[in-house]
Amino acid sequence: RLLIIAAIISIIFGMFLPDPYTGEVNRKTGWIEGTAILMSVTIVVMVSAVNDYNKAKKFEEMSAEQSKKDVEVMRNGVKTSVDISELVVGDVMFVAAGMSMAADGVFLQGQDLKCDESAVTGETDIMKKSPAHDPFFISGTNVTEGEGLVLIINVGVNSFAGKLAMATRGSPADTPLQVKLGWLAEMIGKLGLAAAVLTFAVLSVKTVVSVVTWAPSPEQPDPIAWSVSPFLNHLLVSITLVVVAIPEGLPLAVTIALAYSMKSMMADNCLVRVLASCETMGGTNTICSDKTGTLTTNSMTVVQGWLAEDNFAFSGYGVTGGPNSAITESGAATVVFHSSPEQVDLMCEALALNSTCDELNQDGKMVWVGGNKTEHGLVGFVKRIGKDYKAMRNQYAAHDKRTYPFSSAKKRMTTIVRKNGKWLIFVKGASEMVLEDCTHVLSKSGEVMPADEDYKAGIIQVIQQMADQGNRTMAVAYAESSDNGAFPAEEPYPALTLLAITGIQDPIRVEVPDAVASCRKAGIQVRMVTGDNKNTAVAIARKCGLLRSNGECEEGEVMEGAEFRKMAAENPERLQALIPKLRVLARSSPTDKLVLVACLMDEGDIVAVTGDGTNDAPALKLADVGFAMKSGTDVATGAADMVLMDDNFSTVVRAAVWGRTVNDNIRKFLQFQLTVNVAGVLLTLIGSAIYKEEPLKAVQLLWLNLIMDTLAALALATERPARDCLESGQGPISRAAPLISNRMWVFVITHGAFQLAVMILLIEFGPGIFNTHRCEHEVCELVSLEAQVNMTIPETETILCDPMSCDKCSVECKPELVQGTCMFNTFIWFQLFNEFNARKLYGERNIFEGFGRSRLFCIIFFICIGVQFLAVQVFGPVMKTTPLYFSQWVICISIAAMELLVGLIVSFIQVPMWKPKTADANKQGLDDLKKRLITEAKTNAGMFGGAPVGNVGQPSVTGNANFERQERGPRERWEFAIAGVMAEQRVVSTLIETTDRRIATSMIRKRRDSSILSFQQRTPAAGNAGLRVV
């Protein structure tokens, strides 16, 4: 704004006020400088606007990609999968544990349906859904348990979540690096403002002194008149100096780097949900990864098993079955068993009933819908045997069966069916846990035999042999009971009969071992957190390269969840000491993962975590970067910072690569920009103080600002990662590491000092170096009298003369303008060559390496050359320049090319690396919320004394609702709770037109009264305030 005002004043003064030195009004050229400044400002604003538009467009594309989510609905009696944007009122939608409600709905049917509504009400209590208790589902809440059908009653902007989204629309917050750069830009701006004020003062004093102390001279024979014009010119230079000093290109570089990386990461199958996570991945030094689907292909297949005391196995999977195994050859049409057909049928029925997945035909190919990959493998095993799992399910009416869904806490799933006047209870789950509840076993002969401890020890050996070969083991058991009428509301735990044990294998992804090796070289430790037993986990870890391929594991390298929890509660100091050595955490729960992340972050590590389940959400939320799987639950996706579209660990590594690249690209531009600022500001300040005129004019400084801020940001912030990005460089970037490294400071100081020194030398010796005495016109005033009389000189001949002694030369050739143009040209070329030096951050000597990754850099470099040529040769009146000869161009470029030599010399300077002053330095970057969540997780695990608390960290699934509730006063807590109740009332009100008004009103009152009573019981001190709110 200041420049625009100053430019308009400049145009007015130039068109109507006389020049103080000549006393004349020059309207032919008086408008040029002000117009040139306006044009420069317009170009800068337009470029920034285009970049902002592209940034907003990329955010819209990312948001559209994030909103893509398929749900299953029943239409025309057919189960089909649709995008949530295609949901309409009246759809019947299938819901299951882990889903986030995409629309408002009402309960139709289901089993054990429970929802977490803390995002709406602020209450962490899990709400049970049923026709009698609470039939309403609110969009934005999460289904935590059970499965069922919901009738959709509100969608889009008419739903509760839609209205909330419309009311809370806004621009995304700045990332941490943008905040740091904003602070840096502000500090530089203040220094630039001080330099500008000083420059204006110096130039003004010189002008006043020249007017007051005027004496006749050949250069100024007439008195100098008092005029506002010189002071306006000084003001323009000072304002422009501020514009140059303020590195507005820094936020632009961050935006460009992040937007470019986001787009490129999407091509690498990584969807960025939180922009700051791109930066954070550059400092990640620990990755806690799931096994299934991340390190492995997530295509589970039964490869061996134990059925009624007989072994079976499939060839081609690198497994060896137990003694006398029935081997099914690869590609065989039928599966070979030694067990009886009745025993095989019983196993198949148990697997079919204890699963929720279906294989459907979508777009001409069969895909699994619902359930998890383990279920897909087990039901696929039933199909491979040749059994119809759908027929097995459909033989029982809905009222003749009851399912108790799988949960990570109990690690089992149970289904009860009514058959032949009795209950048949089928159980499927983790082999060790199911085996504990087994008191009998089905023998080869079909008889049920007691299973004592010795017999169980033999079964455990079978499980261990399967696990040692990298298999996940699942046990299948059953029990019979008399028909007691209505099925129990809670899952029963009867004495079971062991039927079968299956070994399920998920092959390692081909690229994982190399990715793990790259992480190790890059200083990133990879830890595997899995629910598999210890032997399976160790076998997989060896294949991935997380553990040595042979030999015993050291203490602390491998732990089981039970041992981990016990040590956390009884000996937390010992656990904290072993955490750095931990590589595999087996038989772990989501709570164990949360505590592990908390311990690592408390040590100062920057942690990335992968997860796909609802109970992984607390760890995903707590970690510095949370990666959810596209195949995971909505709750996990909502808590994550990034989504792996291919569920692949190598994509996590690619994200780390891009994180390093984003940080490096921004720092490249930063060291380049600071060099320009230091050299440009000091040159203008010193030159204005010592010499007659400022070395660079206002419009030239604006051009420097445009080419060095905007175009350089595009050139340096868009370089793609190198192949050895993780192996090269300085390793992960610490939280406490300064924005400008020691080597960057060396770069800025040495290159800035070199450019400043050369420019001052050119001011002194420029006329001789650039040959500014050279001029062209028909006849020179100093040509000898004899030559004039004899007319021996052709009119078109070029004559060399001394412009200082030739009136015509001094007017037409203007040697000072030629020298100023050469200096301006040289300074711009300094920056163009210095861009090559700025491409390297770690003392690399080959600055031309990797041009294949910097195509945009090359394009912008040549664009800058072309525009600079036009600025000098064509736009002279606008840019305050004059055309140069070819020899002068060569001299300018040759002098500027010395920047490359200076860059090579600087690369040989040994610079000490930054090291944290204290062991706790890395914790300085943690925000208060992260610190509190870490404390909460460790406290609940018993690491700060006291008994461990169950369900550790669960309130954090939806943010920090627990802390928010504690910080509110009595009235605020009541207002928050009542607001949640009234939100449900608004959802219910949509039913009134289609439902009996009395029933709907009764439901509203019943739920509201129960919520108020429940809340009042928990917060009796707030009772009076609450009643006033009501």
Side-chain angles (χ1 to χ4, degrees):
R1 291 176 183 175
L2 290 174
L3 277 175
I4 292 174
I5 295 172
I8 294 173
I9 295 174
S10 175
I11 294 175
I12 295 173
F13 285 7
M15 294 293 291
F16 299 104
L17 294 182
D19 187 285
Y21 295 97
T22 63
E24 298 179 357
V25 177
N26 189 353
R27 290 178 176 165
K28 291 184 178 180
T29 59
W31 58 273
I32 291 178
E33 182 170 18
T35 304
I37 293 173
L38 287 176
M39 290 175 59
S40 300
V41 171
T42 301
I43 293 173
V44 171
V45 171
M46 288 298 296
V47 171
S48 299
V50 169
N51 279 304
D52 287 341
Y53 169 77
N54 290 332
K55 171 187 173 183
K57 188 176 180 181
K58 286 182 174 64
F59 269 111
E60 289 178 2
E61 293 173 356
M62 184 185 71
S63 299
E65 187 66 34
Q66 289 177 3
S67 64
K68 291 180 180 178
K69 188 72 179 179
D70 289 341
V71 293
E72 297 168 21
V73 297
M74 185 71 73
R75 290 181 178 175
N76 299 323
V78 178
K79 187 178 182 180
T80 184
S81 181
V82 300
D83 189 87
I84 58 173
S85 62
E86 299 175 4
L87 280 175
V88 296
V89 174
D91 270 335
V92 175
M93 184 174 73
F94 290 84
V95 295
M99 281 185 60
S100 178
M101 290 300 298
D104 299 331
V106 63
F107 184 98
L108 287 183
Q109 70 177 48
Q111 297 178 348
D112 291 332
L113 272 171
K114 296 179 181 178
C115 286
D116 176 7
E117 297 180 352
S118 58
V120 174
T121 65
E123 295 300 310
T124 57
D125 293 341
I126 300 301
M127 304 306 299
K128 186 174 182 179
K129 300 295 179 178
S130 66
H133 181 69
D134 182 3
F136 304 109
F137 291 79
I138 305 175
S139 54
T141 60
N142 304 309
V143 181
T144 58
E145 291 185 31
E147 58 187 12
L149 298 176
V150 172
L151 175 65
I152 301 301
I153 58 174
N154 266 330
V155 297
V157 296
N158 295 317
S159 67
F160 178 79
K163 290 178 180 178
L164 186 63
M166 295 298 290
T168 56
R169 287 179 298 175
S171 302
D174 287 341
T175 68
L177 188 55
Q178 283 176 320
V179 173
K180 285 183 180 180
L181 289 174
W183 176 85
L184 179 64
E186 182 181 354
M187 295 302 297
I188 294 175
K190 289 179 181 179
L191 294 175
L193 180 61
V197 171
L198 186 59
T199 300
F200 180 78
V202 170
L203 290 175
S204 299
V205 169
K206 287 177 62 178
T207 299
V208 172
V209 170
S210 65
V211 173
V212 173
T213 61
W214 171 83
S217 66
E219 297 179 4
Q220 188 63 48
D222 300 322
I224 302 175
W226 287 100
S227 174
V228 181
S229 297
F231 296 97
L232 175 64
N233 183 63
H234 303 335
L235 180 63
L236 282 173
V237 172
S238 300
I239 293 174
T240 308
L241 192 63
V242 174
V243 174
V244 172
I246 296 175
E248 67 272 13
L250 291 181
L252 178 62
V254 177
T255 299
I256 292 173
L258 292 176
Y260 183 73
S261 66
M262 283 167 55
K263 183 178 179 180
S264 302
M265 288 170 73
M266 189 63 210
D268 286 340
N269 294 311
C270 184
L271 172 64
V272 180
R273 297 186 69 253
V274 179
L275 196 60
S277 60
C278 294
E279 305 165 6
T280 309
M281 277 305 295
T284 299
N285 59 1
T286 294
I287 299 175
C288 296
S289 175
D290 286 343
K291 178 187 75 69
T292 304
T294 309
L295 299 174
T296 59
T297 59
N298 203 14
S299 56
M300 304 295 286
T301 304
V302 176
V303 297
Q304 65 180 127
W306 178 96
L307 173 59
E309 299 188 312
D310 280 321
N311 297 301
F312 64 89
F314 295 86
S315 65
Y317 293 96
V319 297
T320 57
N324 302 318
S325 289
I327 305 298
T328 301
E329 297 297 330
S330 178
T334 58
V335 180
V336 180
F337 290 102
H338 292 322
S339 306
S340 69
E342 292 78 11
Q343 294 167 342
V344 174
D345 289 344
L346 188 60
M347 176 186 68
C348 290
E349 187 174 5
L351 294 175
L353 291 172
N354 266 322
S355 60
T356 59
C357 60
D358 273 318
E359 193 175 31
L360 303 178
N361 189 328
Q362 291 186 356
D363 300 327
K365 62 179 182 180
M366 303 301 292
V367 296
W368 289 105
V369 177
N372 55 38
K373 296 296 181 179
T374 301
E375 282 193 2
H376 299 170
L378 292 172
V379 178
F381 174 53
V382 174
K383 284 189 61 183
R384 188 172 183 181
I385 294 173
K387 304 298 180 181
D388 186 348
Y389 72 92
K390 292 184 179 180
M392 291 179 173
R393 293 176 182 172
N394 294 335
Q395 65 179 316
Y396 300 102
H399 61 272
D400 284 334
K401 63 180 176 181
R402 173 68 189 268
T403 298
Y404 303 89
F406 177 88
S407 74
S408 58
K410 58 187 180 181
K411 291 189 178 297
R412 62 191 281 172
M413 180 177 183
T414 301
T415 298
I416 307 176
V417 296
R418 188 175 284 112
K419 186 175 184 180
N420 300 328
K422 60 182 178 181
W423 285 356
L424 196 57
I425 305 171
F426 292 112
V427 176
K428 174 202 72 178
S431 50
E432 294 95 334
M433 294 189 174
V434 173
L435 182 61
E436 286 181 5
D437 293 335
C438 290
T439 58
H440 293 77
V441 63
L442 188 64
S443 67
K444 293 182 181 181
S445 61
E447 296 179 1
V448 176
M449 303 188 314
D452 56 19
E453 293 302 319
D454 292 338
Y455 191 92
K456 286 186 178 181
I459 298 298
I460 290 174
Q461 287 185 354
V462 172
I463 295 171
Q464 205 157 2
Q465 289 170 0
M466 293 184 188
D468 288 342
Q469 299 178 71
N471 297 321
R472 171 179 290 183
T473 58
M474 300 290 289
V476 179
Y478 73 99
E480 294 182 354
S481 174
S482 58
D483 190 342
N484 296 321
F487 293 123
E490 300 298 329
E491 180 179 353
Y493 287 83
L496 300 174
T497 299
L498 182 64
L499 174 61
I501 295 170
T502 58
I504 311 172
Q505 189 177 96
D506 188 6
I508 296 294
R509 292 182 183 270
V510 176
E511 61 273 20
V512 165
D514 290 338
V516 171
S518 296
C519 287
R520 186 181 296 109
K521 294 177 182 177
I524 301 175
Q525 291 291 345
V526 181
R527 294 172 168 87
M528 184 173 76
V529 183
T530 177
D532 288 338
N533 67 39
K534 187 174 181 178
N535 295 328
T536 303
V538 169
I540 297 297
R542 293 190 192 279
K543 293 179 181 178
C544 293
L546 299 176
L547 297 172
R548 293 182 300 276
S549 58
N550 49 41
E552 294 294 325
C553 297
E554 296 181 5
E555 182 188 8
E557 281 191 324
V558 181
M559 296 180 71
E560 287 188 312
E563 178 188 2
F564 183 85
R565 292 187 291 272
K566 182 178 180 181
M567 192 176 295
E570 297 179 0
N571 194 352
E573 295 81 8
R574 178 63 176 163
L575 177 62
Q576 198 72 51
L578 291 176
I579 286 290
K581 298 173 62 177
L582 183 66
R583 295 295 176 269
V584 177
L585 184 58
R587 277 290 181 235
S588 64
S589 66
T591 298
D592 298 334
K593 180 187 286 189
L594 176 66
V595 175
L596 174 61
V597 172
C599 291
L600 289 168
M601 294 179 69
D602 205 29
E603 285 289 317
D605 288 347
I606 300 178
V607 184
V609 171
T610 67
D612 58 359
T614 299
N615 287 333
D616 288 326
L620 292 172
K621 199 73 175 177
L622 172 62
D624 294 286
V625 183
F627 288 90
M629 310 298 154
K630 185 182 180 183
S631 60
T633 64
D634 293 339
V635 176
T637 302
D641 303 296
M642 298 185 183
V643 180
L644 302 180
M645 307 304 287
D646 58 354
D647 296 359
N648 196 333
F649 177 77
S650 64
T651 305
V652 179
V653 180
R654 286 296 298 171
V657 168
W658 273 109
R660 296 271 182 98
T661 302
V662 165
N663 281 281
D664 283 356
N665 287 349
I666 293 171
R667 282 169 168 78
K668 291 173 186 178
F669 174 76
L670 180 58
Q671 69 177 4
F672 171 77
Q673 178 69 61
L674 290 179
T675 303
V676 175
N677 288 356
V678 169
V681 171
L682 290 180
L683 175 63
T684 303
L685 178 60
I686 295 173
S688 300
I690 298 177
Y691 300 101
K692 181 180 179 181
E693 294 185 1
E694 61 276 7
L696 299 176
K697 308 300 180 185
V699 70
Q700 293 173 354
L701 287 171
L702 279 178
W703 164 239
L704 173 68
N705 186 64
L706 172 66
I707 191 174
M708 296 306 119
D709 265 15
T710 305
L711 296 180
L714 280 169
L716 292 171
T718 56
E719 185 166 331
R720 293 188 63 83
R723 288 186 178 181
D724 60 345
C725 172
L726 292 180
E727 290 84 351
S728 61
Q730 302 296 320
I733 301 170
S734 168
R735 275 197 192 94
L739 191 60
I740 305 173
S741 67
N742 294 338
R743 179 164 288 280
M744 290 170 66
W745 278 120
V746 171
F747 182 98
V748 171
I749 293 171
T750 52
H751 287 279
F754 169 74
Q755 293 180 16
L756 180 62
V758 171
M759 293 300 293
I760 291 177
L761 289 176
L762 292 181
I763 294 175
E764 291 288 343
F765 306 106
I769 296 173
F770 295 114
N771 193 16
T772 59
H773 295 179
R774 180 175 179 175
C775 60
E776 291 184 357
H777 46 264
E778 295 179 356
V779 180
C780 178
E781 298 292 341
L782 295 184
V783 175
S784 65
L785 179 62
E786 181 182 359
Q788 293 185 41
V789 172
N790 297 331
M791 299 298 290
T792 57
I793 301 177
E795 293 184 358
T796 59
E797 183 175 348
T798 298
I799 303 172
L800 298 180
C801 61
D802 184 3
M804 300 305 295
S805 305
C806 174
D807 293 337
K808 190 170 185 179
C809 288
S810 63
V811 173
E812 297 183 5
C813 297
K814 300 180 179 178
E816 292 183 357
L817 181 59
V818 175
Q819 181 180 354
T821 303
C822 290
M823 291 181 59
F824 165 63
N825 195 32
T826 303
F827 194 70
I828 293 296
W829 276 96
F830 268 143
Q831 315 316 322
L832 293 176
F833 282 117
N834 201 31
E835 280 190 74
F836 288 91
N837 293 323
R839 289 185 62 247
K840 302 300 178 183
L841 286 171
Y842 305 109
E844 302 96 324
R845 291 173 188 138
N846 182 8
I847 59 174
F848 300 104
E849 181 273 331
F851 266 172
R853 307 189 307 271
S854 309
R855 296 178 182 177
L856 191 57
F857 178 96
C858 301
I859 294 172
I860 291 176
F861 179 77
F862 287 110
I863 288 176
C864 291
I865 291 176
V867 178
Q868 176 65 14
F869 179 82
L870 294 176
V872 172
Q873 300 297 117
V874 179
F875 301 120
V878 175
M879 298 298 299
K880 299 292 185 182
T881 60
T882 187
L884 300 179
Y885 296 109
F886 176 77
S887 60
Q888 291 169 332
W889 273 95
V890 171
I891 294 171
C892 291
I893 296 174
S894 299
I895 293 174
M898 289 192 294
E899 264 288 359
L900 302 179
L901 179 60
V902 173
L904 180 63
I905 294 173
V906 170
S907 68
F908 283 95
I909 299 176
Q910 298 298 318
V911 181
M913 290 178 58
W914 175 86
K915 293 182 179 180
K917 295 180 180 179
T918 63
D920 295 336
N922 276 343
K923 301 180 187 179
Q924 296 174 3
L926 282 173
D927 57 47
D928 291 338
L929 176 59
K930 295 281 189 186
K931 291 178 181 178
R932 293 164 70 181
L933 290 176
I934 290 171
T935 302
E936 178 192 37
K938 297 181 73 173
T939 300
N940 289 343
M943 297 186 70
F944 292 146
V949 180
N951 206 27
V952 175
Q954 294 303 317
S956 301
V957 173
T958 56
N960 200 25
N962 190 40
F963 292 131
E964 290 179 356
R965 190 175 68 250
Q966 291 173 356
E967 291 173 352
R968 294 189 179 96
R971 181 181 180 87
E972 288 77 8
R973 292 202 297 272
W974 267 96
E975 288 176 342
F976 192 66
I978 298 304
V981 175
M982 302 313 291
E984 290 190 357
Q985 178 176 341
R986 289 194 295 272
V987 174
V988 176
S989 65
T990 61
L991 287 174
I992 292 180
E993 295 180 2
T994 57
T995 311
D996 189 310
R997 183 181 297 271
R998 289 173 300 173
I999 297 176
T1001 305
S1002 174
M1003 290 177 177
I1004 294 172
R1005 289 175 176 170
K1006 184 176 180 181
R1007 176 62 199 276
R1008 182 171 56 196
D1009 293 344
S1010 64
S1011 296
I1012 291 173
L1013 179 61
S1014 173
F1015 191 82
Q1016 197 170 19
Q1017 288 172 347
R1018 287 195 299 275
T1019 56
N1024 293 332
L1027 291 176
R1028 286 196 296 272
V1029 174
V1030 175

